[in-house]
Amino acid sequence: MNSPDTYAAIMEQKATIMRASIGIDYERYATGRLAFDYERLLADTSYDIGTVHAIQRRTAVGDTPLLELCNITQLARAVSAPGKGARIFVKDEAANPSGSFKDRRASVSVYEAKKRSYPGVVAATSGNYGAAVASQAAKAGLRCIVVQEAFDSQGVAQPEIAEKTRACEAYGAEVMRLSVGPELFYVFLRVLRETSYFNASLYTPYAILGIETLGFELAGQSKAQTMRFPDMVIATHAGGGNVTGTARGLIKAGATATQMVAASVDLSGLHMASDHDFNRKSFTTGHTGFSLPFTTWPDRADVPRNAARALRYMDRFVTVTQGEVFYITQVLAELEGLERGPAGNTSLAAAFALAQQMNREQVIVVQETEYTGAGKHPIAQLNLARQMGITVRRGNPHDNRPGDTIVIPQHPKQLGVIDVDLEQVRRSYLRHALGSLAEGQQPSATDVAFLAAETRLTEDDVQEVIHDGYHKSR
Amino acid sequence: MTEKAAKHTWVEIHRIILQPGQRAPQVPDDTQQVPLEMKAKGFLVHDATIGEQVEILTPAGRTLKGMLTVINPAYIHTFGAPIAELSAIGNEVRAILNGRETQP
């Protein structure tokens, strides 16, 4: 065993490896003990929305259709009170080259890597992002390595991830598949150190700015098709990039009154680093296993400062059950002739419920779809679930138990959302932030302003939490 | 049955990256007790037999080492048998839309 390559030894080199592989000096942006200049971090990349659009035009990314789901809207109206049932639209991001909105993130990351003459790019992801990076790297003539967490200790591969492996290999990338564990990041660091490739992280400014065009486009498309900006946009929420980039794009398009909703599949009770639990979930992303930790502490990512800061942008945060997402995926295929998802339909499940509370002339946009096929498809996922001993049955969505039972609704009126208490989430974020200060350190005025911006609380509210915290710890 | 593969054949290799006891401190007990394993695919740099330690050239143009496990590894992920709980949904929702729903 090489002692320099132990887990601890590599993690100690994290900062050095990150600096070389991202090329951003994050420390330049620090303005306080906690605070940093978020907007300048993004602006210094010079990727304004026009530039991003031009890059994406050249790489076949973006300009995806906004589709009205007339039959699903009718179905929602059939179970709504009179006058209720907003028009449901979906932005068909599956139309992107590798089949998901992740192409938008990858296009800017790869463009930057090529501009700075890196020989290749590396991404640590088991999701669509790996295929997106591989696809964009192929176009750019760069090498690509994708590191995935793909199978459990019994050798059972998650079929959705097996399909991503196949896609990445189809685009000419090297794929390293790992068994379950957060040491994915440790292996990723070793690959970066050995290859000196660019870190095409999901969380760099490049990756986040790449998503702004999504929000910008859909605002304009909504205006053109309905004469109004969307009343609500729902984004599937995991690490926070989707919510952040889309919201920023909406704001840049002038859609400042649009309500931004984050939606995640509820996987509470499952441990994300557990070998046992790994194949007992049907969704490998877009779930609370990512979204709760990343919302309450974004800087846990594979970069020093996460450019995805969803708490700044979300007006509402809801969860749906696995069974409801499978149900709406079937409905999308059978009523609209669109075979997509299922993970990319998490927001559609939420939209179906939320549309029933809104008026008929209002517009709700589901901001993405993803491609589907072998391994990803609901049939594949539910067969895996049964193989792993999970019960799959029809019934009331409330009876969903992640890792134990998947309950598929019996009627559309059973679809609903559960609100995540944003006040609690904001306070949890503040506790994390304040907890990261050294003993006796006080947040500065700049820190307080920063924390207020991060949580959309007032500075007085932030001060109250600070004083509560310090009082209670004595 | 031993299987041999010639240089340049597309294969899969396997390697242990971290043994139990070397894992990240924060992983739960069930994960602590199993090794961190790696699988990767590439083109053999030399002739080899299943079970041997080999070197492969990956699509990224670098070499990786590990035990040769599969020659020309197949993609086996698929759909499987239809799920009855999903198959029933289409007729149900069409009946609602057409006003033919017989039960809530």
Side-chain angles (χ1 to χ4, degrees), chain A residues 169 174 177 183 273-274 411, chain B residues 12 30-31 58 62 75 101:
Chain A
E169 287 171 351
E174 172 193 319
R177 281 164 291 144
E183 297 99 334
S274 158
H411 194 279
Chain B
E12 178 174 289
D30 58 338
T31 312
T58 77
R62 62 177 192 145
Y75 296 113
E101 184 183 9

Side-chain angles (χ1 to χ4, degrees), chain A residues 64-69 72-73 86-94 101 214 218 221-222 230-236 242 246 250 258-261 263 328 332 340 342-355 363-370:
Chain A
T64 56
L66 185 71
L67 308 172
E68 182 159 17
L69 302 179
I72 289 185
T73 300
R87 296 168 71 181
I88 301 173
F89 288 77
V90 70
K91 186 110 168 86
D92 198 17
E93 289 294 289
F101 88 95
L214 202 172
L218 79 86
Q221 287 168 311
S222 178
D231 296 274
M232 179 185 286
V233 171
I234 313 188
T236 302
N242 214 3
T246 302
L250 286 167
T258 300
Q259 200 187 26
M260 186 72 225
V261 178
I328 207 70
L332 184 65
R340 303 283 187 274
N345 295 335
T346 301
S347 294
L348 180 60
F352 188 83
L354 293 171
V363 169
I364 185 168
V365 175
V366 174
Q367 121 328 342
E368 66 157 322
T369 60
E370 56 161 351

Side-chain angles (χ1 to χ4, degrees), chain A residues 1 7 143 163 169 174 177-180 183 194 273-276 334 374-375 379-380 383 386 394 411, chain B residues 12 22-24 27 30-31 37-39 41 58-60 62 75 77-79 81 85 92 94 101 104:
Chain A
M1 185 195 81
Y7 182 80
R143 306 284 203 171
E163 165 52 23
E169 287 171 351
E174 172 193 319
R177 281 164 291 144
L178 303 178
S179 58
V180 180
E183 297 99 334
E194 182 194 315
S274 158
D275 179 69
H276 172 271
E334 297 229 35
I379 292 176
N383 277 315
R386 285 193 161 134
R394 303 294 296 278
H411 194 279
Chain B
E12 178 174 289
Q22 296 177 332
R23 310 252 358 210
V27 305
D30 58 338
T31 312
E37 304 171 62
M38 187 276 296
K39 298 184 192 184
K41 298 175 200 168
T58 77
R62 62 177 192 145
Y75 296 113
H77 61 284
T78 181
F79 294 86
E85 290 78 359
E92 291 166 7
R94 277 186 290 270
E101 184 183 9

Side-chain angles (χ1 to χ4, degrees), chain A residues 233-293:
Chain A
V233 171
I234 313 188
T236 302
H237 178 40
N242 214 3
V243 170
T244 303
T246 302
R248 290 178 60 89
L250 286 167
I251 292 166
K252 287 184 179 177
T256 51
T258 300
Q259 200 187 26
M260 186 72 225
V261 178
S264 297
V265 175
D266 180 12
L267 291 185
S268 46
L270 294 183
H271 195 303
M272 290 305 127
S274 158
D275 179 69
H276 172 271
D277 291 351
F278 180 72
N279 278 319
R280 287 180 168 85
K281 59 186 190 291
S282 304
F283 292 83
T284 57
T285 188
H287 59 69
T288 51
F290 288 116
S291 58
L292 286 172

Side-chain angles (χ1 to χ4, degrees), chain A residues 1 7 71 74-75 78 143-145 151 153 162-163 166 169 172-183 186 190-191 194-195 197 271 273-276 327 330-331 334-335 373-375 377-380 382-383 386 392 394 408 410-413, chain B residues 10 12-15 17-18 22-28 30-32 34-42 57-64 73 75-94 96-97 101 103-104:
Chain A
M1 185 195 81
Y7 182 80
N71 294 332
Q74 280 307 113
L75 190 69
R143 306 284 203 171
C144 179
I145 298 174
F151 57 95
S153 63
E163 165 52 23
R166 184 207 63 74
E169 287 171 351
E174 172 193 319
V175 182
M176 295 180 84
R177 281 164 291 144
L178 303 178
S179 58
V180 180
E183 297 99 334
Y186 151 81
R190 285 177 64 174
V191 173
E194 182 194 315
T195 60
Y197 285 3
H271 195 303
S274 158
D275 179 69
H276 172 271
Y327 182 88
Q330 190 71 20
V331 170
E334 297 229 35
L335 292 189
H377 199 277
I379 292 176
L382 291 173
N383 277 315
R386 285 193 161 134
V392 178
R394 303 294 296 278
I408 294 164
Q410 291 173 299
H411 194 279
K413 71 172 188 265
Chain B
W10 179 250
E12 178 174 289
I13 62 169
H14 176 276
R15 197 166 88 224
I17 306 273
L18 295 173
Q22 296 177 332
R23 310 252 358 210
Q26 71 270 28
V27 305
D30 58 338
T31 312
Q32 284 285 3
V34 294
L36 180 72
E37 304 171 62
M38 187 276 296
K39 298 184 192 184
K41 298 175 200 168
L57 183 69
T58 77
R62 62 177 192 145
T63 52
L64 287 180
Y75 296 113
I76 58 166
H77 61 284
T78 181
F79 294 86
I83 303 286
E85 290 78 359
L86 294 180
S87 310
I89 294 168
N91 282 337
E92 291 166 7
V93 294
R94 277 186 290 270
I96 295 170
L97 282 188
E101 184 183 9
Q103 60 180 22

